[in-house]
Structures are given as C-alpha cells and as structure tokens.
Amino acid sequence: MAVIEQRCGVQEVSREAARTELARFFTVMETAEKAPEMFSAYIDAEWHRLLGSHEYEALCLEAVGRLVGHRADAGQGTPSWLEVYHERYGNLPRVWFADAEGTVDEEMYKRYLATRVSGQRAEQRPLIVSWDCTPTTNDEDE
C-alpha cells in the first residue's frame, strides 16, 4: 500500500509507492501500442536510483518477466497508456503527481481526480503532462 507522509502540511509519498507504480507502469507497457510515457518525476527518480541493481532486476522480473530498459524521450501531452491503467488499477495514486523529492502537486492531482469523477473520457478533459523518458526492451538503453 502506498504510504503518504505528512510533514508541515506538505504531503510526500514513499519510495515503496514509487516502486509499486513503476511495476504497474511496466505491466501497462506490455499491452501498449507504443512505449508509455513516464511523467512522474518521483517515480522516474526511483527508476534511475534502481537501474542496474539486483533490486531492479527483481522488480522487472516480477512485474513482466524480463529486464526493462530506460531511454530519453521528451514530450508533452496526454499519456497514451492512461485508459489501460484505469481499467486495470483504477485512479492514479498521488505518487504520479509528485516532484523528484516526493512532494505532491495537490492542485494537479485534484484536477486529475475531478476529470475521473466526472466520468468524462480523457479526450474530453485531458490530463496534459510532460515527460522525459520511456521504457525500452533493453536493446536501446542509455
């Protein structure tokens, strides 16, 4: 379960939550038509921290049965994989909206939830984000 810490009124998320979501991201990748976009600075920071470690290998093997690579791929827009994630896991947790230090952008998270609660599809009220990397099959890694 994702852990959220409260410090001086600012909510922060845990590395455990980031790892859980990284594994989910990898499972969504398996059925995506194109490489999914990593827009969470916090999950990406944990991804970078884990890369090349035995812990990372175990996470990948448990999630998708193979190592997953990482490559730079900057962009902006609505993540292509959100509907698949929503079908499998429900709403994105707060960790997706955290900066690299783990502080959640509560306004962005509330806007995202308002879109989900309204029942409107992503095309009607899109979540617009930026990203700078995507997963790979490990043959084109950085």
Side-chain angles (χ1 to χ4, degrees), residues 41-96:
Y42 190 70
I43 296 171
D44 188 44
E46 184 65 9
W47 191 0
H48 281 265
R49 196 188 75 66
L50 289 169
L51 277 169
S53 70
H54 294 294
E55 194 174 8
Y56 182 68
E57 183 177 342
L59 181 139
C60 291
L61 294 175
E62 184 176 329
V64 294
R66 63 177 173 76
L67 282 178
V68 176
H70 179 282
R71 72 177 170 95
D73 185 18
Q76 183 177 17
T78 299
S80 61
W81 51 271
L82 284 180
E83 289 303 317
V84 174
Y85 184 99
H86 292 147
E87 289 171 11
R88 288 188 187 175
Y89 305 112
N91 289 341
L92 295 171
R94 279 183 165 80
V95 68
W96 282 100

Side-chain angles (χ1 to χ4, degrees), residues 25-26 29 35-38 44 47 68-74 131-136 140-141:
F25 180 71
F26 291 164
M29 170 193 74
E37 307 86 356
M38 172 52 70
D44 188 44
W47 191 0
V68 176
H70 179 282
R71 72 177 170 95
D73 185 18
W131 57 85
D132 62 7
C133 63
T134 59
T136 71
E140 52 186 286
D141 295 355

Side-chain angles (χ1 to χ4, degrees), residues 117-131:
V117 171
S118 72
Q120 294 183 346
R121 294 188 51 82
E123 299 85 46
Q124 296 169 316
R125 292 184 66 192
L127 173 66
I128 306 295
V129 294
S130 298
W131 57 85

